[in-house]
Amino acid sequence: MKKLLLILTLSILSFASTTLPKDSVVKIFASVAFNNYLEPWENPMILDYSGSGAIIKDNQILTSAHVVSNGKFIEVQKENDSKKYEATIKFISNQADLAILDIKDKSFFENTTPLEITEDVKIKDSVTAIGYPVGGNTISTTTGIVSRIEYKSYVWDPWSNLLAIQIDAAINSGNSGGPVLNKDNKIVGIAMMKLNNTDNISYIVPSVVINTFFNDIKDGKVDGFSTTRTLISFIENQNMKEYFGLKDNYGILIDRVDLEDIELKQDDVIVSINGKKISNDGKIDSKYGKVSFNYELDNKQIGDIVKYEIIRDKKKINVDYKIKYSKPLIPYEFDMEPEYLVFGGLTFSSLTQNYLIKLKASSRFIDGLLYKDERTNEISERVVWLQKIFPNKINRGYYSGAYIVTKVNGITIKDFNHFVNILDTTKDEYIVIEFVESGKIVLKTKEARDSFKEIKESYGLKSDRRINLWKKNLLIKF
């Protein structure tokens, strides 16, 4: 089975070119924390990784987010220099798998040349991947051509789908974050991932995505790329075309509308975006050929306006659509310790994609199951009863199948902090917790609160909770 892999650690044969800008490419060392979403009270596992990076203007280093994300200690090293310099993350976009590092000691940049970035790239262009794959300590280069330019799911963020460039140059573990250059030694992309069990099929983050990231951070913060919960489907069936009044091969159907997409309605047919016709398979013309219509959204900034031509009730209308970042009900978290609460020996956490992936659960099924909750502003986050239980007389007979909490003592749960607050402050004699999957658990309030002292000693726990109180106003998936 073919799999896409992040390219953090495999050696390759290399060759050096005297014309390549070796003083512009650095090796990155990162000690990275991996949190345990199945047992969030446990300390994170720390692993050491290496990757590559490119020196760009303003004494900055451009690399992959997956090289440094959640890095507790980061260092960089130049070619032919034994000294390592401490670095910090200045900006990071996990959506685009990109990061910018800052180095306090500016002497690092002496005798280096910042690389330029160009969006001038097309299929069959020759490219050179340059970086530090494992298997050696010196810089390595491989050459190839651009094979495809199309939308692809980025491995680092399971829900990110952006423009990507496929190349046949061998890029392997340790190449991540390194530049891929054209014949003029300008960056056309950043090495990102490879297809496993194939001969030299690799993917890079294209320069157009990099430049969108750069435009995003001009105000000193990361707003992210366009994200919406609105779902569309292609219109390929002739009967459906006739039903919606389509007379050509253009138009895509809106199946489900995000609560925040107030400009759109279910069963709208979008036929063009910014004057570009959208074919029935969701493609538009671009300088890179036929690509997803999302290209017109992803190259803009949050808050920008795009113009849709829509067929609504078989009448054409023009709609100004505001690009937005719509936080999902079940997010994927980065650079964040997972929340948890131990109550009566039962364990609870905010529901994340991270947890569902560890369970190998069907997150899309759960997302569909909970869609009705996205139709109101009342619920912003779901709470899950984790499978792990600390057995105690108070919880005898209770077993969890990773059930999703709906109510506590008849009160609908809005988010994890709300859930914890009810358990901490209720004066009711009993706690009754209800779930999406039906069923309930009942605990005596005082006994459940008092039980942690015994449970803590029995199981060696440090605390009954980790609550991210500051998370309410944080966009956690960039």
Side-chain angles (χ1 to χ4, degrees):
M1 179 179 176
K2 296 179 176 64
K3 292 183 179 179
L4 284 168
L5 299 176
L6 295 174
I7 44 176
L8 277 172
T9 58
L10 293 172
S11 63
I12 60 175
L13 296 176
S14 65
F15 59 90
S17 170
T18 56
T19 62
L20 288 172
K22 294 190 290 184
D23 64 342
S24 305
V25 183
V26 302
K27 188 171 186 177
I28 299 173
F29 303 86
S31 297
V32 177
F34 288 85
N35 295 307
N36 186 342
Y37 277 82
L38 293 178
E39 299 181 346
W41 46 88
E42 296 288 348
N43 291 328
M45 178 172 57
I46 305 295
L47 296 177
D48 294 328
Y49 286 109
S50 68
S52 305
I55 295 174
I56 57 173
K57 65 180 182 179
D58 300 328
N59 289 340
Q60 300 179 118
I61 295 173
L62 176 65
T63 186
S64 294
H66 72 262
V67 172
V68 295
S69 183
N70 217 15
K72 302 305 179 184
F73 185 65
I74 302 169
E75 291 181 304
V76 298
Q77 186 179 39
K78 294 184 289 187
E79 178 78 346
N80 299 320
D81 187 349
S82 60
K83 183 177 179 180
K84 295 179 181 178
Y85 294 75
E86 189 173 346
T88 56
I89 299 173
K90 188 175 182 180
F91 298 105
I92 189 166
S93 170
N94 288 298
Q95 272 182 296
D97 198 2
L98 293 170
I100 292 178
L101 303 183
D102 184 55
I103 298 179
K104 186 176 182 180
D105 186 352
K106 301 307 178 186
S107 67
F108 172 85
F109 296 98
E110 294 176 0
N111 301 316
T112 64
T113 305
L115 291 172
E116 296 180 30
I117 297 173
T118 178
E119 295 182 12
D120 184 13
V121 60
K122 59 185 180 300
I123 292 173
K124 294 187 178 179
D125 278 357
S126 295
V127 292
T128 300
I130 181 168
Y132 290 87
V134 298
N137 295 316
T138 57
I139 208 162
S140 168
T141 65
T142 55
T143 59
I145 64 168
V146 173
S147 306
R148 290 190 181 106
I149 304 176
E150 61 185 6
Y151 264 65
K152 201 78 181 173
S153 294
Y154 284 19
V155 172
W156 178 237
D157 181 343
W159 307 109
S160 182
N161 189 278
L162 294 169
L163 196 69
I165 295 177
Q166 180 184 319
I167 63 175
D168 66 0
I171 55 177
N172 294 284
S173 303
N175 273 113
S176 282
V180 177
L181 310 175
N182 66 6
K183 59 182 177 58
D184 298 319
N185 285 338
K186 293 183 179 180
I187 297 175
V188 297
I190 293 295
M192 171 178 53
M193 61 191 187
K194 61 176 290 187
L195 191 61
N196 196 27
N197 299 324
T198 62
D199 292 330
N200 300 341
I201 296 181
S202 305
Y203 296 91
I204 64 176
V205 181
S207 47
V208 65
V209 175
I210 296 171
N211 283 334
T212 304
F213 171 52
F214 287 168
N215 288 333
D216 181 9
I217 61 178
K218 283 180 178 179
D219 61 357
K221 61 186 179 71
V222 179
D223 293 313
F225 287 72
S226 170
T227 303
T228 177
R229 306 289 285 168
T230 294
L231 297 181
I232 62 100
S233 65
F234 302 148
I235 306 177
E236 298 176 305
N237 183 275
Q238 187 59 39
N239 292 328
M240 183 176 284
K241 289 181 182 181
E242 293 173 3
Y243 178 80
F244 286 105
L246 301 183
K247 297 176 179 162
D248 51 30
N249 294 318
Y250 297 100
I252 53 177
L253 178 67
I254 295 180
D255 286 328
R256 186 178 100 175
V257 181
D258 191 312
L259 178 67
E260 296 186 31
D261 283 343
I262 57 175
E263 310 93 334
L264 305 176
K265 291 185 177 181
Q266 188 172 354
D267 288 340
D268 277 352
V269 177
I270 306 175
V271 294
S272 75
I273 179 171
N274 288 340
K276 296 184 177 182
K277 288 284 191 178
I278 304 175
S279 60
N280 292 148
D281 61 355
K283 301 286 181 63
I284 61 171
D285 290 320
S286 78
K287 62 183 179 181
Y288 302 115
K290 292 282 188 181
V291 298
S292 168
F293 78 98
N294 285 306
Y295 178 78
E296 284 294 311
L297 300 168
D298 295 332
N299 292 331
K300 305 293 190 298
Q301 299 300 312
I302 302 301
D304 285 353
I305 301 294
V306 298
K307 294 185 177 297
Y308 280 138
E309 183 182 10
I310 287 176
I311 296 177
R312 180 177 294 167
D313 299 325
K314 296 188 178 181
K315 296 178 181 179
K316 281 192 176 181
I317 61 172
N318 295 313
V319 173
D320 288 343
Y321 175 79
K322 185 177 180 180
I323 294 174
K324 52 190 74 76
Y325 179 94
S326 178
K327 178 187 171 184
L329 189 65
I330 309 174
Y332 190 93
E333 293 182 343
F334 295 96
D335 303 321
M336 186 180 296
E337 290 185 299
E339 298 178 305
Y340 73 90
L341 175 73
V342 180
F343 186 79
L346 309 179
T347 58
F348 301 88
S349 181
S350 51
L351 180 60
T352 63
Q353 298 286 357
N354 312 65
Y355 178 63
L356 294 177
I357 288 171
K358 289 294 183 183
L359 284 182
K360 296 181 172 55
S362 174
S363 55
R364 293 193 183 278
F365 170 77
I366 294 174
D367 180 61
L369 181 67
L370 301 178
Y371 172 58
K372 65 181 187 302
D373 296 326
E374 297 184 47
R375 305 296 299 181
T376 71
N377 286 312
E378 185 176 35
I379 299 172
S380 62
E381 184 179 56
R382 298 314 304 246
V383 176
V384 61
W385 176 18
L386 302 179
Q387 288 183 316
K388 177 70 176 183
I389 291 177
F390 296 102
N392 183 272
K393 59 182 179 293
I394 194 171
N395 58 48
R396 183 180 292 114
Y398 289 147
Y399 305 95
S400 174
Y403 301 136
I404 300 168
V405 176
T406 56
K407 295 180 180 181
V408 175
N409 290 3
I411 302 171
T412 298
I413 299 302
K414 299 177 181 179
D415 56 38
F416 187 69
N417 292 338
H418 183 220
F419 172 76
V420 174
N421 184 60
I422 291 174
L423 296 186
D424 282 346
T425 61
T426 185
K427 297 185 181 345
D428 294 344
E429 182 180 0
Y430 290 94
I431 292 286
V432 180
I433 304 176
E434 300 175 58
F435 304 95
V436 169
E437 297 82 357
S438 75
K440 63 184 67 174
I441 57 176
V442 180
L443 298 169
K444 274 198 170 181
T445 305
K446 186 176 186 309
E447 288 182 9
R449 289 172 180 165
D450 294 343
S451 67
F452 184 70
K453 182 177 180 181
E454 180 182 342
I455 290 170
K456 178 181 179 181
E457 293 175 354
S458 298
Y459 297 99
L461 299 178
K462 295 178 182 178
S463 174
D464 69 333
R465 68 188 64 192
R466 181 188 298 118
I467 312 296
N468 296 326
L469 295 174
W470 44 268
K471 192 175 75 174
K472 271 192 174 182
N473 298 317
L474 178 69
L475 293 181
I476 58 176
K477 180 173 178 285
F478 296 134

